[in-house]
Amino acid sequence: MTKFPLEIVTPDRVFFSDKVDMVIVRGIEGDLAVLNNRTPLVTPLAIGKAKVVIDGNERYCALSNGYLKVSKEKTTIISDSAEWPEEIDVKRAEKAKERAEKRLKKRTDGLDVARAEIALKRAINRLQVSELKSVRNK
């Protein structure tokens, strides 16, 4: 498989920068796989995980919204946040999930409900990704 450059950036750092075989991300309309020579595109991303494949090895990270840009030169993911499973503070994510669930039970006004739903999705995503390990495909 021919590799292509992938860069994942957040406001705080260049999270990842290397040549990859494939990346799969969660777009707002579903999952999207990017391989070398994909047609250029820009699309918004949903809260979800990204699967990065290099030489048959799979690595997952948690992403919080953002955009995917595919060009002939490289593929770029710009996200509010990105974390490898080992970087995720599981206790903090569990507490965030609990807080969001409590807010949703109260349902005071529309803004609080929308923010609580987003917080809940982020926390659940982080908890799911924290359980994933790198995998070697044969």
Side-chain angles (χ1 to χ4, degrees):
M1 196 176 279
T2 307
K3 295 185 186 310
F4 63 93
L6 171 67
E7 189 171 78
I8 302 174
V9 297
T10 70
D12 301 334
R13 63 183 169 153
V14 175
F15 174 76
F16 178 85
S17 183
D18 202 352
K19 291 195 173 191
V20 302
D21 300 317
M22 175 175 55
V23 62
I24 300 173
V25 293
R26 171 73 37 98
I28 60 170
E29 295 184 13
D31 289 348
L32 176 70
V34 178
L35 299 167
N36 191 40
N37 293 322
R38 180 172 176 88
T39 301
L41 72 103
V42 175
T43 189
L45 298 176
I47 296 168
K49 68 180 179 277
K51 178 166 93 171
V52 178
V53 181
I54 305 172
D55 298 327
N57 295 307
E58 298 174 358
R59 186 125 194 238
Y60 296 89
C61 68
L63 298 176
S64 293
N65 298 354
Y67 288 89
L68 169 74
K69 177 186 176 193
V70 179
S71 68
K72 290 183 180 183
E73 295 78 33
K74 71 177 178 179
T75 296
T76 305
I77 295 171
I78 301 168
S79 181
D80 293 341
S81 68
E83 296 172 285
W84 298 117
E86 61 273 13
E87 294 176 326
I88 295 171
D89 183 338
V90 175
K91 288 182 182 179
R92 184 172 161 240
E94 287 171 346
K95 287 179 183 177
K97 180 179 179 246
E98 290 170 11
R99 280 192 310 272
E101 288 171 336
K102 285 179 185 176
R103 283 189 205 128
L104 286 171
K105 285 181 184 175
K106 290 180 185 177
R107 294 205 177 256
T108 53
D109 68 38
L111 180 60
D112 283 344
V113 169
R115 287 170 47 182
E117 287 172 345
I118 290 169
L120 180 60
K121 287 178 186 177
R122 284 183 180 154
I124 290 170
N125 182 54
R126 293 177 74 231
L127 289 169
Q128 289 174 342
V129 171
S130 73
E131 296 174 359
L132 298 173
K133 304 292 182 209
S134 296
V135 177
R136 171 78 179 149
N137 287 338
K138 295 182 180 185

